[in-house]
């Protein structure tokens, strides 16, 4: 079965996260009002917490209700795995209407990494659901202060595929611009949208991964987002952004406070001109996820592997690497390996050097690389 068919059979899953009061509820209400969202299941912690009462139609079971939009809303009182499993079983049995998308809303103080780990590692969930996008809401007026004082807010922005600056009508242009600049430095791979009252088209938030069901193709440029490496140069092997340096020289910020949590967050892209040996990359991934997994907030990459004519996509959140996916082809004539990192207290030098040396050793010994399609997985 092709990658596209495998992706199409799994249910697209979007995680909406963001700090307390950043507009997740407003965004969710607005999204569910759009045409084409009627086959959506929404998983939340408690119904009362997110204010969807005015959208409720009737209770299907103890934890599941139907909304007047046609969507299903599921209250997860236990853990996420059991909630998703139960909802899928109800769908299979016809106890709830069929749905082709799941939206999971986290609490405002949540670290989103455990949810992403669950979606990427549980065997049943990975066979039925695919992580499509992570959407993070950031309050236009209070966002910078939250980034200064709450590490959860920093991590929510760092792992996002899409960032929404909300409540834009409450902040002046200078405040919004300063926040947007800071978020771009924190996570250059994520497109940023400024919204008011959750007003945004769903297609700008969904299909952020490799597979787009509307075209049944892989959009590699969307996956990596050109800005992640183009903003930091296009010639060197390492494109690094150091937040401390930038903020100290920014006209939008006062002298930098070393206690700012995002002073520890870096984003950079590492490229390799020569093809990589799959065994070398797997060894590198195993070492770093075991020893420095907490520092790998998000990793996305397209690899040119020895012995493979097509590129391979890799994706990781902290300690967990998603199974690699072989793509149908390269998006352009640039066949270099490109890996985008968002890290905490971990710079590009040790990553680049360790992977370079492991790959050089594999080349010297002329060992046959084990590709994703021939046995060894991450």
């Amino acid at each position: 079965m092709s990658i596209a068919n495998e992706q199409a059979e799994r249910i697209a899953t979007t995680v909406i996260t963001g700090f307390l009061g950043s507009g997740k509820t407003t965004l969710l209400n607005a999204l569910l009002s759009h045409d084409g969202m009627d086959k959506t299941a929404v998983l939340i912690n408690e119904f009362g917490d997110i204010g969807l009462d005015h959208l409720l139609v009737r209770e299907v079971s103890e934890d599941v209700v139907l909304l007047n939009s046609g969507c299903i809303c599921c209250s997860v009182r236990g853990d996420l795995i059991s909630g998703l499993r139960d909802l899928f079983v109800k769908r299979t049995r016809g106890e709830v209407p069929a749905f082709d998308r799941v939206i999971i809303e986290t609490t405002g103080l949540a670290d989103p990494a455990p949810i992403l780990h669950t979606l990427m590692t549980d065997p049943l969930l990975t066979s039925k659901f695919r992580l499509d996008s992570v959407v993070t809401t950031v309050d236009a007026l209070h966002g910078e202060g939250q980034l200064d004082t709450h590490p959860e807010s920093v991590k929510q922005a760092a792992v996002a595929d899409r960032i929404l600056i909300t409540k834009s009508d409450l902040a002046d242009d200078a405040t919004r611009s300063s926040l947007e600049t800071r978020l771009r430095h924190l996570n250059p791979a994520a497109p940023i949208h400024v919204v008011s009252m959750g007003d945004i088209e769903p297609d700008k938030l969904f299909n952020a991964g490799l597979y787009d069901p509307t075209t049944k193709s892989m959009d590699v440029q969307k996956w990596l987002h050109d800005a992640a490496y183009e903003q930091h140069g296009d010639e060197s092997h390492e494109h690094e952004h150091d937040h401390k340096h930038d903020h100290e020289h920014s006209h939008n910020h006062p002298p930098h406070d070393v206690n700012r949590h995002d002073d520890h967050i870096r984003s950079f892209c590492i490229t390799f001109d020569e093809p990589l040996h799959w065994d070398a990359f797997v060894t590198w991934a195993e070492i770093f996820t075991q020893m420095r997994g907490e520092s790998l907030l998000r990793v996305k990459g397209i690899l040119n592997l020895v012995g493979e004519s097509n590129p391979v996509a890799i994706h990781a959140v902290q300690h967990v690497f998603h199974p690699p996916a072989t793509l149908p082809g390269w998006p352009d004539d640039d066949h270099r390996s490109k890996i985008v990192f968002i890290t905490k207290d971990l710079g590009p030098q040790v990553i680049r050097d360790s992977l370079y040396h492991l790959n050089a050793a594999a080349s010297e010994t002329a060992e046959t690389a084990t590709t994703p399609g021939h046995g060894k997985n991450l």
Side-chain angles (χ1 to χ4, degrees):
M1 180 182 294
S2 68
I3 294 173
N5 288 336
E6 289 177 357
Q7 294 272 17
E9 289 186 353
R10 292 187 288 164
I11 299 170
T13 304
T14 293
V15 176
I16 295 180
T17 187
F19 202 69
L20 294 169
S22 62
K24 296 186 298 297
T25 300
T26 302
L27 172 65
L28 192 55
N29 283 329
L31 287 175
L32 296 182
S33 68
H34 282 269
D35 293 337
M37 293 293 291
D38 53 310
K39 291 186 177 181
T40 300
V42 180
L43 271 68
I44 60 177
N45 291 327
E46 297 289 346
F47 292 128
D49 288 347
I50 67 165
L52 289 178
D53 292 345
H54 64 290
L55 292 178
L56 302 185
V57 178
R58 64 182 177 88
E59 184 173 321
V60 176
S61 63
E62 180 183 359
D63 295 327
V64 180
V65 297
L66 292 181
L67 307 181
N68 60 18
S69 62
C71 302
I72 303 163
C73 194
C74 180
S75 176
V76 181
R77 293 186 171 88
D79 75 286
L80 177 63
I81 294 177
S82 61
L84 276 173
R85 284 176 173 172
D86 292 345
L87 190 60
F88 187 83
V89 169
K90 288 183 171 68
R91 176 182 183 267
T92 303
R93 293 176 177 173
E95 297 174 8
V96 298
F99 54 88
D100 55 20
R101 176 172 297 279
V102 172
I103 296 177
I104 300 170
E105 188 204 355
T106 73
T107 63
L109 293 173
D111 176 352
I115 293 177
L116 304 184
H117 289 176
T118 298
L119 292 171
M120 293 165 63
T121 59
D122 180 76
L124 178 59
L125 296 189
T126 56
S127 67
K128 305 300 181 184
F129 301 91
R130 60 181 174 89
L131 179 60
D132 177 61
S133 59
V134 180
V135 177
T136 298
T137 55
V138 182
D139 187 312
L141 190 60
H142 303 292
E144 288 216 76
Q146 292 164 350
L147 290 170
D148 287 345
T149 56
H150 298 284
E152 302 90 351
S153 177
V154 175
K155 186 172 287 188
Q156 289 164 356
V159 302
D161 294 301
R162 302 286 184 267
I163 296 176
L164 302 186
I165 297 178
T166 61
K167 305 181 182 180
S168 60
D169 54 320
L170 301 180
D172 57 33
D173 291 343
T175 300
R176 289 195 303 269
S177 177
S178 177
L179 176 60
E180 183 171 349
T181 298
R182 188 168 176 183
L183 290 170
R184 289 193 187 282
H185 291 160
L186 177 63
N187 185 349
I192 297 175
H193 301 279
V194 179
V195 300
S196 178
M197 300 304 295
D199 184 18
I200 188 170
E201 291 295 323
D203 60 8
K204 291 185 178 180
L205 305 182
F206 303 145
N207 305 325
L210 286 172
Y211 175 71
D212 184 348
T214 61
T215 62
K216 298 187 183 299
S217 64
M218 312 297 175
D219 190 341
V220 175
Q221 303 294 356
K222 182 188 289 186
W223 171 246
L224 286 181
H225 192 51
D226 290 346
Y229 44 91
E230 288 181 350
Q231 286 179 350
H232 310 304
D234 57 6
E235 296 298 333
S236 66
H237 287 281
E238 164 196 324
H239 308 144
E240 177 190 357
H241 172 75
D242 186 325
H243 286 272
K244 182 175 181 180
H245 175 81
D246 183 86
H247 286 304
E248 287 176 343
H249 292 79
S250 171
H251 296 295
N252 294 324
H253 293 278
H256 189 66
D257 178 0
V258 295
N259 293 317
R260 276 187 175 177
H261 291 283
D262 64 328
D263 187 54
H264 300 276
I265 306 295
R266 288 183 174 185
S267 56
F268 50 88
C269 179
I270 295 176
T271 64
F272 287 87
D273 295 332
E274 298 298 322
L276 296 174
H277 290 268
W278 178 246
D279 276 348
F281 182 81
V282 169
T283 300
W284 173 89
E286 290 174 345
I287 292 172
F288 268 80
T289 53
Q290 291 175 13
M291 298 182 64
R292 300 298 302 272
E294 74 284 351
S295 298
L296 298 174
L297 299 183
R298 199 78 189 266
V299 180
K300 288 183 176 183
I302 304 296
L303 305 183
N304 182 355
L305 296 177
V306 172
E308 290 290 305
S309 58
N310 291 343
V312 171
I314 54 97
H315 175 207
V317 177
Q318 291 193 317
H319 297 276
V320 178
F321 265 81
H322 194 277
T326 301
L327 305 184
W330 289 92
D332 51 38
D333 293 334
D334 185 358
H335 291 188
R336 294 178 300 168
S337 295
K338 303 182 185 72
I339 311 174
V340 176
F341 292 87
I342 298 177
T343 64
K344 180 180 180 181
D345 296 322
L346 181 62
Q349 190 73 30
V350 64
I351 293 175
R352 182 193 60 189
D353 289 351
S354 58
L355 183 51
Y356 173 83
H357 290 304
L358 284 169
N359 195 62
S363 297
E364 289 174 2
T365 57
E367 291 181 353
T368 303
T370 304
T371 64
H374 295 82
K376 192 169 186 179
N377 263 342
L378 288 172

